[in-house]
Amino acid sequence: RMSDTAGVSNSSVLLHPLVIINISDHATRAKVTNKGVSKRVVGALLGHQQGKQMELLNSFELLTVPPPEGSECNSDEKVIIDEEFLKTKLSQFSEVFPDQEFLGWYSTGSQLYPYDTTIQKMFMAHNESPLYMIMDSVRASISKELPLEVFESEVRIVNNQPEVKFCSIPYKIETLEAERIAVDHIAHAASTTGSSAAGTSSIAQLSGTQEAIKMLNIRVKLLLRYLKAVQNGELPKDLNFLRQIKSICRMLPAIDTQQFKNDLLDEYDDTLLMTYLASITKTTSAADKLGKVHNFTYERQRHRRFPFHPASHSEAEDLPASYIF
């Protein structure tokens, strides 16, 4: 593992969820194709750049060529990029998204490899200082934080020779309204996969909300215990921590205004209205089924008394299979 990175850069990165989803999907499909064995994948990053701030909006996969036989580097470390494919994809994306440009590349893995500097130099033909993002697909299953690291390169003179060094860049997640809706839909779809029970999605959402409220209650009780211990002289005063608690308390009146109460009541009324409409729809559907069963039974009895009038099949077709006896 390369540990001689150049440090932390002054640049910053805004990362959109679409990029994370694309990389995760790319790594998952590669693992399934490779019969459950994780395989390093590589792709390109697209977005905007304004000064030291970069915004990553999209990404696409890159074709790689296996290393030649007899190479000292393993296949995970030494990946050879198909440059013709890269140029073709960049040209296609520039036609569809003319406001987005090539900002860097990504790969999966848990470390920086020495050969990554060679790949970085190759991408410098398309961007003077391309970004490099690593997603640790192994740590993703056990870590509560995003297993992502973003680097940019710096050229430094070492022993009178220029060398490329990677330095870490801070990033934060930036989402648009459409992206929030899509991510929420994916999360609900994933939580209900394999389950056909009615209301599973709502139950999962309410369960998550309940767990969040429980965690909030635990943390509030912990703060109260700390404040009581400080007041009784059992613990020393931490002024920085007390200021943070005070800032949290100052936020409470902001959600106790009349406008907030009105908005909450409006949302509550809308929720009740949707519940009532769902109940009415369900009751109407049940009543309709009951009416069809009654009409069907009546027609059968009438036709038994008057066998020369055959029953119509159109009414029977509207009934569920369970009602046909």
Side-chain angles (χ1 to χ4, degrees):
R1 176 170 180 160
M2 292 182 62
S3 59
D4 53 342
T5 55
V8 180
S9 171
N10 293 326
S11 304
S12 62
V13 174
L14 299 178
L15 181 59
H16 285 256
L18 179 60
V19 179
I20 303 174
I21 294 174
N22 287 344
I23 299 175
S24 178
D25 176 69
H26 189 188
T28 302
R29 285 187 287 104
K31 184 176 180 179
V32 173
T33 305
N34 206 32
K35 298 181 179 180
V37 180
S38 297
K39 180 181 178 181
R40 191 183 187 194
V41 296
V42 181
L45 301 172
L46 303 175
H48 308 304
Q49 180 173 2
Q50 186 175 5
K52 289 285 188 178
Q53 187 177 56
M54 288 152 282
E55 187 174 8
L56 300 179
L57 299 169
N58 203 350
S59 65
F60 62 85
E61 305 171 13
L62 291 177
L63 292 181
T64 59
V65 181
E69 296 183 1
S71 176
E72 296 180 358
C73 300
N74 57 47
S75 58
D76 279 344
E77 177 179 346
K78 188 173 183 179
V79 291
I80 302 175
I81 308 299
D82 189 336
E83 295 192 46
E84 290 299 324
F85 178 81
L86 172 62
K87 293 178 182 178
T88 302
K89 292 291 288 186
L90 288 177
S91 176
Q92 293 173 349
F93 268 85
S94 64
E95 295 178 1
V96 181
F97 305 102
D99 57 336
Q100 297 183 14
E101 58 180 324
F102 175 79
L103 293 182
W105 60 293
Y106 70 82
S107 75
T108 55
S110 57
Q111 61 184 12
L112 287 169
Y113 293 105
Y115 192 77
D116 290 346
T117 57
T118 304
I119 303 176
Q120 183 78 356
K121 292 177 183 178
M122 188 273 290
F123 284 118
M124 286 182 180
H126 305 278
N127 188 301
E128 294 181 357
S129 182
L131 296 176
Y132 177 30
M133 178 186 295
I134 298 180
M135 172 179 281
D136 191 345
S137 56
V138 177
R139 186 163 59 94
S141 59
I142 58 176
S143 176
K144 293 184 179 180
E145 298 180 355
L146 285 175
L148 295 173
E149 290 184 89
V150 184
F151 302 92
E152 72 174 356
S153 59
E154 292 182 354
V155 179
R156 294 193 174 188
I157 304 299
V158 179
N159 297 328
N160 296 325
Q161 296 292 331
E163 290 188 5
V164 175
K165 298 288 184 180
F166 288 106
C167 55
S168 178
I169 302 178
Y171 70 89
K172 67 177 181 179
I173 304 300
E174 183 76 10
T175 59
L176 302 175
E177 183 64 27
E179 291 176 324
R180 283 195 289 269
I181 295 174
V183 171
D184 184 66
H185 177 73
I186 292 174
H188 287 173
S191 64
T192 57
T193 300
S195 175
S196 59
T200 303
S201 177
S202 300
I203 293 174
Q205 184 178 2
L206 292 175
S207 299
T209 304
Q210 183 182 19
E211 292 298 326
I213 294 175
K214 285 183 179 180
M215 183 60 66
L216 177 62
N217 188 29
I218 292 173
R219 294 183 177 181
V220 170
K221 289 182 178 180
L222 184 61
L223 291 178
L224 289 174
R225 287 174 55 190
Y226 170 77
L227 292 175
K228 290 180 180 179
V230 172
Q231 186 178 17
N232 297 332
E234 300 174 3
L235 292 175
K237 292 183 179 180
D238 187 341
L239 297 181
N240 186 26
F241 190 53
L242 292 175
R243 280 193 293 268
Q244 294 181 17
I245 296 177
K246 186 176 181 180
S247 65
I248 294 175
C249 294
R250 285 181 176 176
M251 294 172 60
L252 297 178
I255 60 175
D256 196 26
T257 60
Q258 187 62 35
Q259 180 64 34
F260 174 78
K261 293 180 179 179
N262 293 337
D263 294 341
L264 181 61
L265 290 176
D266 290 341
E267 186 174 352
Y268 181 69
D269 292 340
D270 293 341
T271 304
L272 289 179
L273 180 61
M274 293 299 296
T275 305
Y276 294 153
L277 288 175
S279 300
I280 293 173
T281 303
K282 187 176 181 180
T283 304
T284 304
S285 177
D288 181 63
K289 289 182 179 180
L290 180 61
K292 288 182 178 180
V293 172
H294 174 76
N295 293 335
F296 182 73
T297 305
Y298 175 77
E299 290 295 328
R300 284 178 62 91
Q301 293 177 354
R302 186 171 65 87
H303 292 156
R304 287 174 181 174
R305 288 179 293 176
F306 303 98
F308 297 103
H309 297 279
S312 175
H313 296 285
S314 60
E315 296 180 354
E317 290 177 355
D318 294 335
L319 290 172
S322 60
Y323 293 131
I324 301 176
F325 49 88

